[in-house]
Each structure stands twice: as C-alpha cells, then as structure tokens.
C-alpha cells in the first residue's frame, strides 16, 4: 500500500512541477487537405540554434514541447513537397497550429543520393527505395526484391534487418498483416503486387499518444499497387515429381478498404519448413510485451520449441500442412480489430547413429541407432482489439491461445559395454497456454501519460511415456529391473498480475515509473509404475517498483537509466522465504549521424531456480535419462550481469552497410546438470549449482558496394561459453566456442546474368579440463549461385550449387548439392516451373556432427532431408 501511495504522489508531483509549453496540430497537403504522415517538424530559436524535432503520426498529428515562451522558427518538410518555414510567437501553455504544404514539381536535390543511378531518397528518418533502379523484372516475391535493396537483408531467423537494425514491424499496405512472421510474408507477397518500399525509423502505430510516442518503432512499409486493392488477389501453385514428392500452395490477399486479409496455405511432402523455431517463439511472446522491460514475462514450464522446428539437416523425411490466416478490420479511425491464426501439422522421420563417451567413466562407451517417426500439431491464435477515442487515450486487449500435440515413436538399438538391447519408446504430449492482457493509456496532462495493465496466463501440460525392451530398461534403487516403464505427468500453472506505469516529461527528459504484482501458482504431478508417485505445488508472488529516466542530453546523445526493486515471496516444498532484489540497467545511444549510431547497454537481474530444476523426487525423462533429486537450494539466488556494445553505419551515398555488436554475460551462480552413468547405461541427471559462467557473443556484418552492381559481403559470428561445473564428484571447467564466417562477392542489376560466389565456414570446439578432452567439428560450404532472364524475361532461371564438407575427429562426410529453378511465363497469369533441391541426393545423404554436453561427448551421423525434382504450375488471380 505504501508503495502505491508513494507512486501516486510522485506522479502528481512530476505532473505539476515539470509543466512546459506544448505545440500540437496537423500537417496537411494543400491539394487534397489530407494529413501527411511522417512529415518532419523542426524547431530552432531566434539564434538559429536547434531546439527539437518530431514527425507526424499515421493521422498527420504532431506534438512538441519547449521549456520557455518566446519566438521560434518551425521548419516543415515532407518528401515531394515544398519545405516551409514559419515564425511563431509562443506565449500560451498549449498552442494549436496546423501547417499546410504544397506539392513540389521540381526534384528535391537536397535529399537525393549523389551516386548514379539514384536508387534511394533519404530524408531524416525515412528512406525511400527506387524500385525501378533496383529491380530487373526477374523477382518473383517480395523477398527477391528485399534481397536487392541496399542495407536490407533477412537474417537466419527470418527477421528483416535494415542498416543493422532489426525491423519491428513489416507493413503491407499500411498494416502488419502477419505480425512478426517476416519470412512467410515476404515469400508470399508477390513482386508484381509491390508499388514501393520505404524504411521508417520512427513509425507511430495505431494507439500512439501524441507527444509520448508510446507506439513508436521502426518499420518497413510496403505499398501495394492500386490494381491489387479492393479485390481478392493471389495465386495457386501445384508441384509433383519423382518419388511421390508433391506440393500444393496458395496465397490469397485483400488489400485496401476497411477489411484486409491474407491467407497462406501449404501442403508439401518435399520437406519445406513453413515456420521456424524463432518465428514460433516470437508468436508466443506477443502477449506481455509491456511487462518484459521489467523482467516479469511469464516463465513457462516448457520453453523448448517443438521438435519438428529443428533444423532441416536433422530430418530424413518431412510432410507438412501449414495454414496462416490474418484479418484486420478497421471500421473507423478509432477502432481496430486484428486476428492471426497459424497452424502446422507435421509428420517426419529421423535416422541418427550416436556414439557417446561419458566423462565420469571413459571406459563406458555407448553406440546406438535410432529411427524416429513423429507427428506434431501446433496452433497459435492471436486476437487484438484497440480503441482510441481521441489522441489522449487508448484501450487495447490481447488474447494469445496456443495448443500443441506431439506423438513420437522411437526404435532404438543400444550397445553399451559389450551388451546389445533393443528398445521401443512412445512419448505423447498435449499442452496449451492461454494469455490475456488488457491495457489502458491515458494522457492526464500534456506532460504525463499513465498506463495500467492487467494480465492472466494459464498453462497445462500432460505427457505420457512408454518404454519397453528385450532387457531391463532401468536399474532403480531398491527396485527390481523391469523390461518396461510407464509414466504420466501433469503440470499446471496460473499467473495473474497488474502493472501501473507513468511517464512524465520535463525539458529534454522523460521520467517513468512502473509498479506491479505478479502472483503465480503451479503444480507438478508425476505417476510412474516403477517409481514413487509425487506431486508438489509452488506459490510465488513478485512485487516490483521500477524507475526509468530517459534523457536527451544532446540531439545526438540519448541515455536511459533504470533502477528496479523486486520483492519475491516463494512457498515451495512446505518452506517459505522472502527475497529483496535490486536490478539496475543503463542504455546509452549516440547518434553520430542520421544513419550512424553507437550504443551501450547494461542490465543486472536476479532470479530463483525454476520448479523443473529443484524437483525433490526422481522421474523418467526418456529411455536414456532419469532426473534425480536436485541439490539446488530453493532460495538459491541467481544474479546475472549483461553488457552489450553495438555500432551501425549505413552510407547513404554508396549503399554500403556495416554493423557490429559485442555482448558479455556473467553469472556467478547458475543451474547446470551433473550426469552420472550407471552400469546399465542409464544417465542419471542431477541439477546442481555451477559457478562463474561467462558468455561472449560478437558479430560483424559488412556489405560493401564496390560499384552499384558489384558488392562484397562478410558476415561473422562468434560465441564463447566458459563455466565451472562438476563431473561426478570432481570440479571441472567447460569451454564451448562457436565461429561462423560467410564471405562472398555478388552482382546485382546486370542484364542477362547475376551471381553470388562465396564460402561459408562453421567450427564448434568443446573442451573439458578434467580429462583434457577437446573435440572439434567443422562445416565448410563453398557456393555459387547464378540467375538471370531470357526471352524478354519470359524465362527466369536460378542455379544454386554447394559443396558441403562435414568433419569431426571420427569421420568426414561430403556431398555436392545442386538446386535448379526454372520458370516460364506461358501467359500473364499462368506460369510453368521446374524446381529441384539437392537433386544428386534424392535418396538421402549423411552428415557427421558433434553434439556435446558438459558430461559426455557425442558423435552423430545423420540422414539429411531427401532431395527432390518437381514440375509445377502456378495460376495468378
């Protein structure tokens, strides 16, 4: 209660003490009197000194503040319009002023790039790409267009990167059609639909409160041609080929008007993956976005991605049915309703040969052959409702529902210390999560914004495990060995909470406060025929108070300082304890120029061990592993320090781009596993406390334009993990290092033929100090991609080649991959295609990898995805 009273007092105090002069209004076009969104307003004083600037929102509204009355110069600019300057005498606390711009019939030379050909226009926080200069007509999808834009790329996670920054929103015809599913969107919006593309560094979304920019983020805005609006458009394609490989795909869209929708349907037996692990996790994280800043997003029982989202290299066969439906209804400027549903139903097969050496006893060697058949289903439905009656308040509601089902059969041939046995395992998991969040924003004065948020989350996981064998499966203490086991688990979790936030502005600073409570109740129940049944419950309450000061020390230098305070009350295993935690954070962002920035972040946080780490009884994890009672204390504090340094530079004169980041994380205590293998080959896993965990991650991306048609690409990634843990009863130091390098040269816009030539290299190094053991695996992939058009662009062709070499200490595998793609436009709306992937390995190829843990070394030989060659037909609506 005292915390809430203190918070309300401070909000009231800052509201009155830091009152300033506010100027608000609209920027309109003279011809149609329509609002100009993302127009720039800049203020300077009588001495011509810069004071502040802003941009209009999606409704053409702006808001600016100054610290004292007087005469000021307002400079208004917008691409394609004549720049205007107004002198205004500010005397009132609130001034309403509209500005009107007229079309400029001459070229705006001050914002046009100076190199030839002119491919971009850069104005303040907006980059507009000249697609006529950047495309050649061979592009089939939006992704093909983005691949040719200077400074734009899709990373390995499917997210769009512009000038080193991850794009938060991909707008299609002004709306975020499939939310953060950038890969699916760019691969299904066809190139002929695209009218223009621009990057907005300060996009203000629906629900933005004028003057506070609570909905501000960066965005890539893709405009659609008028002939594709206000009707259903898209295409249908069917493919079939050798060895019963088939594919059917459709994408349907309706752009323009109050109702917009998109539908993507895909059924294929050629192994294409419709959604990645990263994309799936981003969908689940859409709820509780406002709570993440304070570290209080819901901790789920199962944070692992479904197995069918694993990398393609680990899969021998895959059949996938995928559907995505997006609906956006905006009946008025005040109301917006959006719905997104993504479903995937997958069956797949895996064939893996493992060879393990256990560190606690190097004489215990295990060799196994596994054949797995799996069925997976997931569904993610997101409903959002927003209502903004005026520019001072906003209400939003979000619902995220996520059911899953998996059924996996595994046949195992296991050889351990000279003994061979055969096992069969079936594991079924049914689970769902339901998240709901309600938020209300209110601008109480022109200097203070209040936000209140309430949320509720529930999660349920039910699993069944059946294992049978021709020999005893597990040797358990005081229990006779058995040739079969059966286990059921039920996990439940409910979380409810609220958060109050305030933002107060004064001079060049913003002071924010947040206070909230999250209450969580969870239960874990385990039933096994061969083990003692057990269940336990956990009750946890997190209360927090956080203060954040954002300062604009200079128009180039911005800082954000956060001081957090947590109070945690935990009841678990019939014990109760309290913890008071202090969590500071700091961000510094220096804008060297419009497209060059340097930043630094620091964050400190503390958490407690989660339930699955401190289970008091043993249970089966699978045919190979038993989870033993933990030695971790219930009230073990787990502090973490995080540092991040980043730099980004985009040369708007040449189109070259460089971005780099360096991160360091340190955890004095963390939860890890100690694995002890018994004489039957069972891995007994004990959750223990490790010490001195240090992580380093670094990245460097360089795209150097030698000429407008030729470029050099370099992408480097480095990751290092060092920690102290235990192997058996002995102390140990573990070191893991990962390095990936891509280096290449490419051409764009050359008539007839273009190329990508380069080399990809990966290296994993794993070291255990206790036995002086070092293992290393490398992957080397030289590649060449050729593409072009012939017969007046009726025929487009692409040939991608790659020679892959996988190497470990024990084995070396290599194969040549050839991926051809040929399309022929029969008519304007009918296209014939021939597509192949890895066509020299139609019946699988094998690769060799290391898959190490801190307790054993494992060498894997894996059957990779079958190649295919299919003939297809595409019909365009």
């Amino acid at each position: 209660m005292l915390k809430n009273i203190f918070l309300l007092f401070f909000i009231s105090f800052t509201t009155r003490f830091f009152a300033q002069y506010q100027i608000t209004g609209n920027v309109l076009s003279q011809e149609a009197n329509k609002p100009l969104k993302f127009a720039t307003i800049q203020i300077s004083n009588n001495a011509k000194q810069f004071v502040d600037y802003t941009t209009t929102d999606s409704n053409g509204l702006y808001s600016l503040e100054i610290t004292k009355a007087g005469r000021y110069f307002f400079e208004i600019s917008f691409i394609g319009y004549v720049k205007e300057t107004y002198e205004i005498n500010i005397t009132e606390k609130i001034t309403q002023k509209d500005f009107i711009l007229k079309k400029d019939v001459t070229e705006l030379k001050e914002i046009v790039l100076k190199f030839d050909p002119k491919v971009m226009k850069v104005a303040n926080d907006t980059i507009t790409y000249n697609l006529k200069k950047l495309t050649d007509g061979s592009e089939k999808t939006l992704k093909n267009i983005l691949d040719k834009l200077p400074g734009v790329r899709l990373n390995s996670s499917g997210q769009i990167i512009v000038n080193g920054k991850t794009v938060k929103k991909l707008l299609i015809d002004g709306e975020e059609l499939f939310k953060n599913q950038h890969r699916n969107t760019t691969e299904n919006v066809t190139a002929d639909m695209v009218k223009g593309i621009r990057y907005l560094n300060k996009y203000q979304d629906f629900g933005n409160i004028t003057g506070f920019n609570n909905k501000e983020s960066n965005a890539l805005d893709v405009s659609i041609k008028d002939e594709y609006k206000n009707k259903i458009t898209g295409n249908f394609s069917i493919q079939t080929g050798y060895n019963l490989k088939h594919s059917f795909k459709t994408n349907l869209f309706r752009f323009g008007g109050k109702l917009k929708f998109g539908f993507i349907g895909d059924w294929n037996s050629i192994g294409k993956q419709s959604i990645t692990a990263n994309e799936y996790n981003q969908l689940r994280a859409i709820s509780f976005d406002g709570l993440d800043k304070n570290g209080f997003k819901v901790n789920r029982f199962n944070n692992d991605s479904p197995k069918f989202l694993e990398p393609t290299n680990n899969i021998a066969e895959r059949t996938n049915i995928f559907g995505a439906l997006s609906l956006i209804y905006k009946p008025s400027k005040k109301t917006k309703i959006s719905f997104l549903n993504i479903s995937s139903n997958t069956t797949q097969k895996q064939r893996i040969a493992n060879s393990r050496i256990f560190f606690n006893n190097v004489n215990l060697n295990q060799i196994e052959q596994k054949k797995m058949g799996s069925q997976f289903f997931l569904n993610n439905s997101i409903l959002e409702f927003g209502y903004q009656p005026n520019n001072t308040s906003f209400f939003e509601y979000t619902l995220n529902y996520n059911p899953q089902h998996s059924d996996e059969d595994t046949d195992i041939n296991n050889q351990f210390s000279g003994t061979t046995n055969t096992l069969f395992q079936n594991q079924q998991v049914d689970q769902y999560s339901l998240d709901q969040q309600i938020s209300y924003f209110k601008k109480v004065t022109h200097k203070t914004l209040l936000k209140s948020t309430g949320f509720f989350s529930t999660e349920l996981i039910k699993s069944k495990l059946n294992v049978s064998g021709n020999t005893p499966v597990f040797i358990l203490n005081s229990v006779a060995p058995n040739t079969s086991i059966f286990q059921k688990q039920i996990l439940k979790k409910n979380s409810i909470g609220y958060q109050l936030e305030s933002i107060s502005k004064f001079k060049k600073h913003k002071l924010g406060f947040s206070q909230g409570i999250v209450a969580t109740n969870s239960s874990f129940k385990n039933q096994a025929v061969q083990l003692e049944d057990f269940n336990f419950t956990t009750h946890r309450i997190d209360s927090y108070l956080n203060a954040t000061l954002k300062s604009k020390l200079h128009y180039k230098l911005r800082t954000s300082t956060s001081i957090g305070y947590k109070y945690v009350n935990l009841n678990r295993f019939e014990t109760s304890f309290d913890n008071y935690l202090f969590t500071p954070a700091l961000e510094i962002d220096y804008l060297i120029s419009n497209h060059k920035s340097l930043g630094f972040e620091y964050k400190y946080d503390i958490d407690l061990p989660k339930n699955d780490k401190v289970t008091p009884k043993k249970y089966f994890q699978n045919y190979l592993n038993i989870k033993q009672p933990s030695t971790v204390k219930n009230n073990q504090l787990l502090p973490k320090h995080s540092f991040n340094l980043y730099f980004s530079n985009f040369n708007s004169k040449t189109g070259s781009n460089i971005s780099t980041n360096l991160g360091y994380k340190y955890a004095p205590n963390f939860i890890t596993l100690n694995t002890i293998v018994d004489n039957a080959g069972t891995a007994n896993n004990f959750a223990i406390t490790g010490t001195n965990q240090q992580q380093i991650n670094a990245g460097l991306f360089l795209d150097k334009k030698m000429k407008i048609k030729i470029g050099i690409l370099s992408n480097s990634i480095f990751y290092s993990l060092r920690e102290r843990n235990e192997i058996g009863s002995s102390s140990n130091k573990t070191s893991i290092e990962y390095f990936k390098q891509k280096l290449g040269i490419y051409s764009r816009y050359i008539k007839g033929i273009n190329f990508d030539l380069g080399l990809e290299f990966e290296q994993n190094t794993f070291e255990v100090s206790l036995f002086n053991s070092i293992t290393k695996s490398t992957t080397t992939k030289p590649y060449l991609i050729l593409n072009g058009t012939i017969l007046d662009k009726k025929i487009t062709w692409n040939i991608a080649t790659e020679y892959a070499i996988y190497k470990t200490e024990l084995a070396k595998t290599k194969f040549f991959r050839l991926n051809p793609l040929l399309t022929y436009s029969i008519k304007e709306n009918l296209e014939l295609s021939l597509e192949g992937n890895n066509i020299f390995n139609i019946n699988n190829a094998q690769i060799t990898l290391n898959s190490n843990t801190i307790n054993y070394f494992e060498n894997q030989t894996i059957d990779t995805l079958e190649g295919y060659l299919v003939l297809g037909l595409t019909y365009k609506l």
Side-chain angles (χ1 to χ4, degrees):
M1 179 62 72
L2 290 176
K3 296 175 190 174
N4 293 337
I5 294 174
F6 169 75
L7 176 64
L8 295 175
F9 169 77
F10 203 95
I11 292 171
S12 176
F13 174 76
T14 55
T15 301
R16 289 168 171 75
F17 184 77
F18 298 115
Q20 302 175 52
Y21 296 86
Q22 184 183 38
I23 306 98
T24 62
N26 300 269
V27 177
L28 307 169
S29 65
Q30 184 184 55
E31 291 74 15
N33 201 35
K34 291 184 178 180
L36 297 177
K37 52 184 178 180
F38 315 120
T40 301
I41 303 98
Q42 181 174 302
I43 303 179
S44 57
N45 57 24
N46 272 329
K48 303 297 183 180
Q49 295 174 327
F50 174 84
V51 176
D52 201 359
Y53 87 99
T54 189
T55 57
T56 57
D57 62 17
S58 58
N59 297 316
L61 300 174
Y62 77 92
S63 178
L64 281 165
E65 293 82 27
I66 54 178
T67 58
K68 59 183 178 180
R71 303 190 71 81
Y72 292 87
F73 292 93
F74 287 71
E75 184 179 272
I76 320 301
S77 60
F78 186 74
I79 297 176
Y81 287 76
V82 177
K83 184 187 298 183
E84 299 285 355
T85 302
Y86 298 84
E87 183 180 1
I88 303 175
N89 187 23
I90 304 298
T91 59
E92 303 293 333
K93 288 289 185 182
I94 300 179
T95 300
Q96 175 75 25
K97 178 63 179 177
D98 294 337
F99 300 107
I100 299 177
L101 301 181
K102 61 181 180 180
K103 280 276 190 182
D104 187 1
V105 295
T106 62
E107 185 180 33
L108 299 178
K109 295 183 179 180
E110 69 275 11
I111 61 173
V112 177
L113 299 183
K114 298 180 180 179
F115 68 95
D116 188 40
K118 301 177 178 66
V119 297
M120 295 179 295
K121 293 182 179 181
V122 182
N124 295 318
D125 298 308
T126 302
I127 300 175
T128 303
Y129 301 94
N130 186 348
L131 299 187
K132 291 182 179 179
K133 295 290 185 180
L134 292 169
T135 57
D136 58 14
S138 64
E139 302 80 18
K140 298 299 181 181
T141 65
L142 172 60
K143 180 182 182 300
N144 299 147
I145 296 178
L146 296 183
D147 286 339
K148 297 183 177 181
L149 303 188
V152 181
R153 62 187 174 94
L154 269 74
N155 64 14
S156 58
S157 300
Q159 298 301 290
I160 298 174
I161 309 293
V162 177
N163 306 336
K165 295 182 178 180
T166 301
V167 171
K168 301 298 182 184
K169 294 182 179 293
L170 174 58
L171 306 177
I172 306 297
D173 195 31
E175 296 291 350
E176 195 182 14
L177 200 59
F178 288 100
K179 298 193 182 297
N180 47 27
Q181 304 300 289
H182 294 176
R183 184 177 62 90
N184 265 316
T185 306
T186 58
E187 290 179 357
N188 285 279
V189 173
T190 58
D192 52 4
M193 297 178 181
V194 178
K195 178 181 180 182
I197 300 176
R198 60 178 182 165
Y199 171 70
L200 309 169
N201 194 43
K202 292 186 177 180
Y203 168 71
Q204 295 174 348
D205 202 358
F206 177 76
N208 189 72
I209 304 298
T210 305
F212 289 93
N213 301 332
N214 58 296
K215 288 288 184 177
E216 184 177 273
S217 62
N218 64 345
L220 196 69
D221 184 21
V222 179
S223 59
I224 300 298
K225 295 176 183 177
D226 291 340
E227 57 263 36
Y228 291 97
K229 294 184 179 181
N230 298 308
K231 66 176 183 179
I232 296 178
T233 185
N235 60 51
F236 299 89
S237 65
I238 186 170
Q239 295 176 311
T240 186
Y242 174 76
N243 201 21
L244 300 177
K245 297 296 184 183
H246 309 294
S247 172
F248 174 78
K249 189 172 183 179
T250 182
N251 54 68
L252 301 173
F253 300 96
R254 186 185 188 278
F255 306 110
K258 296 180 179 180
L259 175 64
K260 300 177 182 178
F261 79 81
F263 172 74
I264 300 171
D266 182 17
W267 173 86
N268 76 81
S269 60
I270 59 180
K272 285 188 176 180
Q273 200 168 10
S274 300
I275 185 171
T276 66
N278 183 269
E279 292 165 342
Y280 169 76
N281 291 331
Q282 287 180 341
L283 280 176
R284 296 192 73 190
I286 284 180
S287 299
F288 313 111
D289 182 56
L291 302 179
D292 288 354
K293 298 175 182 178
N294 298 303
F296 280 87
K297 61 184 177 182
V298 174
N299 292 316
R300 303 196 180 280
F301 278 118
N302 184 11
N303 289 316
D304 296 331
S305 301
K307 289 185 179 181
F308 76 91
L309 301 181
E310 291 177 349
T312 302
N313 281 344
N314 295 344
I315 307 301
E317 300 175 35
R318 173 188 285 137
T319 299
N320 184 44
I321 302 174
F322 175 82
L325 174 65
S326 175
L327 297 169
I328 299 176
Y329 180 55
K330 202 170 182 179
S332 68
K333 293 182 178 180
K334 297 181 178 180
T335 306
K336 180 179 176 181
I337 303 171
S338 66
F339 174 76
L340 174 64
N341 177 270
I342 289 182
S343 297
S344 182
N345 190 48
T346 303
T347 58
Q348 65 184 31
K349 294 181 180 179
Q350 294 174 275
R351 293 183 288 271
I352 302 175
N354 295 317
S355 174
R356 301 187 184 98
I357 299 176
F358 296 92
F359 296 142
N360 75 298
N361 188 342
V362 294
N363 295 318
L364 297 178
N365 298 330
Q366 189 174 51
I367 298 174
E368 67 175 18
Q369 304 281 340
K370 291 197 300 185
K371 294 182 180 180
M372 292 175 283
S374 311
Q375 291 185 336
F376 301 100
F377 169 79
L378 72 79
N379 179 280
N380 210 119
S381 298
I382 303 168
L383 174 66
E384 294 180 322
F385 171 78
Y387 177 65
Q388 189 171 19
N390 48 56
N391 62 0
T392 64
S393 61
F394 176 64
F395 169 85
E396 65 178 348
Y397 168 77
T398 302
L399 181 146
N400 193 329
Y401 176 60
N402 177 225
Q404 292 182 41
H405 170 76
S406 66
D407 190 341
E408 186 172 61
D409 292 331
T410 307
D411 289 301
I412 309 110
N413 182 277
N414 192 9
Q415 299 180 34
F416 183 77
S417 297
T419 302
T420 301
N421 55 62
T422 301
L423 300 172
F424 173 79
Q425 174 177 285
N426 173 260
Q427 192 163 21
Q428 299 179 33
V429 179
D430 288 283
Q431 67 182 82
Y432 79 89
S433 63
L434 176 66
D435 306 330
Q436 297 183 77
Q437 179 175 306
I438 299 175
S439 297
Y440 179 68
F441 299 80
K442 179 62 179 178
K443 183 177 179 180
V444 293
T445 73
H446 67 281
K447 296 301 174 186
T448 302
L449 176 71
L450 296 181
K451 177 186 177 182
S452 57
T453 301
F455 75 90
F456 172 75
S457 173
T458 183
E459 183 179 15
L460 175 65
I461 302 176
K462 295 181 178 180
S463 65
K464 296 179 181 179
L465 177 67
N466 281 281
V467 182
S468 59
N470 62 345
T471 60
V473 179
F474 287 106
I475 297 178
L476 303 173
N477 294 334
S478 69
V479 178
N482 204 321
T483 57
S484 64
I485 61 173
F486 174 76
Q487 176 180 271
K488 291 175 60 177
Q489 283 185 350
I490 300 177
L491 301 91
K492 296 180 181 179
K493 175 181 283 190
N494 293 316
S495 298
I496 189 170
Y498 76 89
Q499 178 170 285
L500 300 176
E501 297 178 73
S502 73
I503 300 175
S504 297
K505 301 189 299 181
F506 57 98
K507 296 183 179 179
K508 296 182 179 180
H509 309 278
K510 288 184 180 180
L511 181 61
F513 283 91
S514 59
Q515 187 273 327
I517 295 177
V518 180
T520 302
N521 293 324
S522 62
S523 64
F524 183 102
K525 184 177 182 179
N526 193 86
Q527 294 177 310
V529 175
Q530 297 81 1
L531 296 176
E532 178 185 356
D533 293 350
F534 71 94
N535 62 79
F536 66 89
T537 59
T538 300
H539 306 283
R540 175 170 172 170
I541 297 178
D542 294 87
S543 175
Y544 56 95
L545 181 65
N546 194 76
T548 302
L549 177 63
K550 295 184 178 181
S551 302
K552 190 187 295 184
L553 303 180
H554 186 266
Y555 76 96
K556 289 187 175 182
L557 181 62
R558 294 173 173 84
T559 65
S560 176
T561 305
S562 175
I563 299 176
Y565 166 82
K566 297 181 183 179
Y567 166 74
V568 180
N569 178 269
L570 183 64
N571 291 271
R572 182 165 53 191
F573 309 145
E574 300 180 352
T575 60
S576 176
F577 51 90
D578 299 330
N579 279 278
Y580 297 85
L581 312 175
F582 176 70
T583 56
L586 172 67
E587 293 182 26
I588 300 175
D589 188 14
Y590 182 66
L591 187 66
I592 302 172
S593 64
N594 272 355
H595 303 290
K596 183 187 295 186
S597 62
L598 178 68
F600 171 78
E601 298 175 351
Y602 167 74
K603 184 178 180 181
Y604 175 74
D605 198 5
I606 303 177
D607 205 351
L608 297 167
K610 298 178 176 61
N611 283 350
D612 59 342
K613 305 298 183 184
V614 293
T615 306
K617 302 285 186 178
K618 67 175 65 175
Y619 63 87
F620 300 110
Q621 292 179 288
N622 51 47
Y623 71 94
L624 183 68
N625 294 275
I626 291 181
K627 183 67 174 289
Q628 294 286 351
S630 167
T631 61
V632 178
K633 297 180 180 178
N634 294 339
N635 59 347
Q636 172 76 62
L637 296 180
L638 304 172
K640 293 178 290 184
H641 301 266
S642 300
F643 302 85
N644 192 38
L645 180 67
Y646 56 89
F647 171 77
S648 177
N649 180 26
F650 173 64
N651 191 324
S652 59
K653 292 184 179 180
T654 65
S656 296
N657 180 33
I658 181 172
S659 60
T660 182
N661 70 280
L662 177 63
Y664 173 74
K665 295 182 179 180
Y666 172 67
N669 297 296
F670 66 99
I671 306 301
T672 184
L673 285 179
N674 184 3
T675 301
I676 298 177
V677 181
D678 59 30
N679 293 328
T682 302
N684 295 268
N685 299 311
F686 300 83
I688 63 172
T689 302
T691 61
N692 197 32
Q693 185 185 67
Q694 301 182 64
Q695 299 180 54
I696 297 175
N697 61 280
L700 173 64
F701 176 82
L702 171 65
D703 186 0
K704 177 68 174 178
K705 297 293 190 298
M706 307 303 293
K707 295 181 179 180
I708 186 61
K709 295 182 179 181
I710 303 293
I712 294 177
L713 178 70
S714 177
N715 191 13
S716 306
I717 299 173
F718 174 76
Y719 172 80
S720 173
L721 173 65
R722 299 176 186 274
E723 61 186 38
R724 290 180 179 270
N725 47 53
E726 294 180 8
I727 295 178
S729 58
S730 302
S731 178
N732 174 62
K733 292 181 182 179
T734 298
S735 173
I736 300 173
E737 290 186 355
Y738 170 79
F739 174 71
K740 181 177 181 179
Q741 173 68 55
K742 180 178 181 179
L743 183 64
I745 182 171
Y746 63 88
S747 71
R748 298 289 186 268
Y749 330 120
I750 298 176
K751 293 183 179 180
I753 183 171
N754 284 276
F755 68 89
D756 282 86
L757 173 65
L759 174 71
E760 292 185 12
F761 176 78
E762 287 185 51
Q763 178 174 288
N764 285 279
T765 304
F766 185 82
E767 181 176 359
V768 177
S769 68
L770 188 60
F771 301 101
N772 295 319
S773 173
I774 300 177
T775 61
K776 185 181 297 184
S777 62
T778 61
T779 303
T780 307
K781 297 179 181 179
Y783 65 89
L784 172 63
I785 303 173
L786 300 172
N787 62 80
T789 63
I790 56 177
L791 296 181
D792 196 25
K793 300 180 182 180
K794 284 184 175 292
I795 295 180
T796 63
W797 58 274
N798 183 293
I799 297 177
T801 62
E802 177 184 86
Y803 186 64
I805 304 171
Y806 298 87
K807 184 180 180 181
T808 70
E809 293 84 353
L810 301 181
K812 179 179 180 180
T813 58
K814 52 187 177 181
F815 59 89
F816 180 73
R817 181 179 285 116
L818 178 64
N819 302 342
L821 174 61
L822 180 71
T823 63
Y824 172 63
S825 296
I826 303 174
K827 297 180 179 180
E828 184 177 352
N829 63 344
L830 195 61
E831 185 176 85
L832 185 67
S833 66
L834 178 67
E835 181 181 1
N837 182 72
N838 199 16
I839 62 174
F840 291 152
N841 298 284
I842 295 293
N843 298 314
N844 296 111
Q846 289 187 334
I847 61 174
T848 300
L849 300 173
N850 285 342
S851 179
N852 301 324
T853 75
I854 60 174
N855 300 109
Y856 61 83
F857 161 72
E858 181 176 73
N859 184 82
Q860 295 182 329
T861 302
I862 304 168
D863 281 9
T864 63
L865 196 64
E866 294 177 332
Y868 63 84
L869 184 65
V870 292
L871 186 67
L873 191 66
T874 300
Y875 175 75
K876 300 178 182 179
L877 296 179

